[in-house]
Amino acid sequence: MTIHLSEVGLTVQEEVRLDDIELELRPGQLYVVLGPASAGKTSLLRVIAGLERPTAGRILVDGVDMTGASPRRRNVAMVYRQAINYPAFTVHDNIAAPLRMQKMPKDDIDARVRHIASTLRIESSLHRLPAELPVEQQQRCAIARALARESSLLLLDEPLADLDRKPREELREELRAIFETRDSIVVYGTAEPLEALAMGGTVAIMDGGRVLQVGPASKIHHRPGSSAVARVFSHPPMNMIDVQVDRGMAVGESGLAIPLSKKFATANRLRMTVGVRAQHLSLLPDGNHSIPIEGTVELSEISGSETFVHVAQGRTSWIVQLSGVHQHATGASVTIYLDPSKIFVFGETGALEAFPAIDAQALEGGGASWRE
């Protein structure tokens, strides 16, 4: 089964939730829909499932217009952010429910239930009610029921968002392995860039109800097509600095001057944006090619085994991602070191350069700096 969304739009009470969506979904493929809250991910999945009818465009299934068809005609299974199970059924009966509706023989039902339960590591809980289980196990039950149907279309709307970090990572790895063995179309919605990278497959970047870019997850991460894509596909959000490019130099406030590649040698007063991810900044110099930036600590956040330091420099606010746990007092003076070989350069219509966008010879001559 191949699904083609052609110029699909959805407007609800004058609110545009989907705008001119063009996507083609093929069997045996994993598609990750990545976007922040209100990007349109849930609306997109509901339209694909047939739970919501688009107000514009068409949905074609194997070339047949199925725009107004019900979910039953699309052979779809769906998993939501919150685990949805039959509360009066045991885990076994929850997983078996769609199989009984298909009139499958009892012995075959039991065999499939036990196989899926074993795959998702809930076989010891088959006799229990979902409410008796931890949140993670409840979601495993909901996912198992969706997988039991072996539907040709499997949709997952941020299924791991409410789980703690460790069980979330474990279940994510298990799901990725399961998806690789299925012939169905799998569409997985998430607001987490790192989760999109971990899942792999084809990623569709969404924001404001529009699909901004579609392609292999790792390729888009390393070469985002616009500053909007880079913001969505970075955690924490990519640092963005407005600059003016003049004769090969990116010039910003407070004395910023970064030599760019020869592509920009003839540029004259070109307004652009330089982007750098938080993990490509440091509070320690890294060789001779680091650009120092003097600033003041606004906030230091410790998250697990990482520290996010927010630094004010002039009118610019930076986020620096450090490995390990570090203490930085609010108001303390610090020096950020920017690795210029890792910057992105964006114009008004998209990405002009992904890293490296730097003239290495100019760097060796000491041509890059940023100090107040």
Side-chain angles (χ1 to χ4, degrees):
M1 179 176 74
T2 298
I3 300 176
H4 181 202
L5 282 73
S6 176
E7 300 178 345
V8 167
L10 177 65
T11 301
V12 179
Q13 296 180 349
E14 299 185 356
E15 178 188 357
V16 177
R17 295 186 180 179
L18 298 176
D19 184 11
D20 196 25
I21 303 295
E22 195 78 30
L23 282 175
E24 186 163 295
L25 309 175
R26 296 185 174 275
Q29 300 292 319
L30 168 62
Y31 299 90
V32 178
V33 181
L34 171 64
S38 301
K41 302 185 300 297
T42 297
S43 294
L44 178 62
L45 266 60
R46 287 179 60 82
V47 163
I48 294 173
L51 296 171
E52 196 115 34
R53 180 165 185 163
T55 51
R58 297 189 302 161
I59 299 176
L60 305 177
V61 178
D62 291 334
V64 178
D65 192 337
M66 298 284 284
T67 306
S70 68
R72 289 188 178 185
R73 292 184 59 192
R74 303 189 192 197
N75 190 22
V76 60
M78 194 161 182
V79 179
Y80 299 89
R81 176 170 181 159
Q82 291 183 321
I84 298 178
N85 295 299
Y86 299 114
F89 289 6
T90 64
V91 170
H92 180 285
D93 288 344
N94 263 278
I95 301 172
L99 305 179
R100 289 171 178 155
M101 293 180 64
Q102 296 173 0
K103 308 297 184 182
M104 181 179 289
K106 185 177 182 301
D107 290 345
D108 293 345
I109 290 176
D110 189 63
R112 184 178 294 186
V113 167
R114 293 189 179 280
H115 171 72
I116 294 173
S118 176
T119 301
L120 285 167
R121 297 193 290 124
I122 53 174
E123 64 271 30
S124 63
S125 301
L126 287 174
H127 64 287
R128 301 177 67 183
L129 296 175
E132 299 173 344
L133 304 176
V135 172
E136 177 212 353
Q137 297 289 309
Q138 293 181 37
Q139 189 66 305
R140 285 176 179 270
C141 176
I143 293 170
R145 188 175 66 255
L147 293 174
R149 292 187 56 183
E150 295 190 350
S151 59
S152 52
L153 176 60
L154 176 60
L155 307 174
L156 303 99
D157 188 8
E158 298 192 55
L160 310 183
D162 291 340
L163 304 187
D164 292 335
R165 182 172 181 175
K166 185 175 180 180
R168 177 175 184 160
E169 291 176 351
E170 291 175 350
L171 184 51
R172 183 174 63 209
E173 290 301 312
E174 294 168 27
L175 287 178
R176 186 174 65 173
I178 291 170
F179 296 156
E180 289 176 352
T181 65
R182 296 179 69 87
D183 295 327
S184 58
I185 297 171
V186 179
V187 185
Y188 186 102
T190 180
E192 300 294 333
L194 297 181
E195 186 161 275
L197 267 179
M199 295 301 296
T202 298
V203 64
I205 307 295
M206 288 195 72
D207 197 19
R210 297 183 63 87
V211 173
L212 306 180
Q213 190 173 353
V214 180
S218 59
K219 182 177 180 179
I220 293 181
H221 183 263
H222 290 300
R223 290 192 174 273
S226 67
S227 58
V229 172
R231 285 189 180 96
V232 173
F233 212 165
S234 296
H235 176 75
M238 183 180 287
N239 296 286
M240 297 288 184
I241 309 100
D242 292 329
V243 298
Q244 178 174 286
V245 176
D246 195 0
R247 294 184 297 276
M249 297 292 292
V251 180
E253 68 167 3
S254 305
L256 166 66
I258 303 176
L260 301 177
S261 62
K262 295 179 180 179
K263 176 178 179 178
F264 301 99
T266 60
N268 184 29
R269 296 186 175 276
L270 181 63
R271 303 300 302 181
M272 300 192 332
T273 299
V274 167
V276 57
R277 288 196 168 99
Q279 61 265 38
H280 294 148
L281 297 171
S282 175
L283 297 184
L284 295 173
D286 182 16
N288 298 322
H289 295 168
S290 294
I291 299 176
I293 304 167
E294 308 292 347
T296 303
V297 175
E298 293 181 304
L299 176 67
S300 184
E301 298 178 286
I302 298 174
S303 177
S305 59
E306 296 173 327
T307 303
F308 297 93
V309 184
H310 298 249
V311 178
Q313 189 273 334
R315 292 175 297 176
T316 303
S317 182
W318 297 85
I319 302 178
V320 184
Q321 180 178 342
L322 306 175
S323 296
V325 176
H326 305 270
Q327 299 290 342
H328 295 277
T330 301
S333 297
V334 294
T335 301
I336 300 172
Y337 293 93
L338 182 155
D339 181 353
S341 68
K342 298 292 180 65
I343 71 168
F344 296 82
V345 180
F346 301 101
E348 292 182 358
T349 58
L352 301 177
E353 292 274 348
F355 63 79
I358 301 300
D359 187 334
Q361 292 182 345
L363 282 174
E364 290 172 0
S369 65
W370 189 342
R371 287 185 181 273
E372 289 191 293

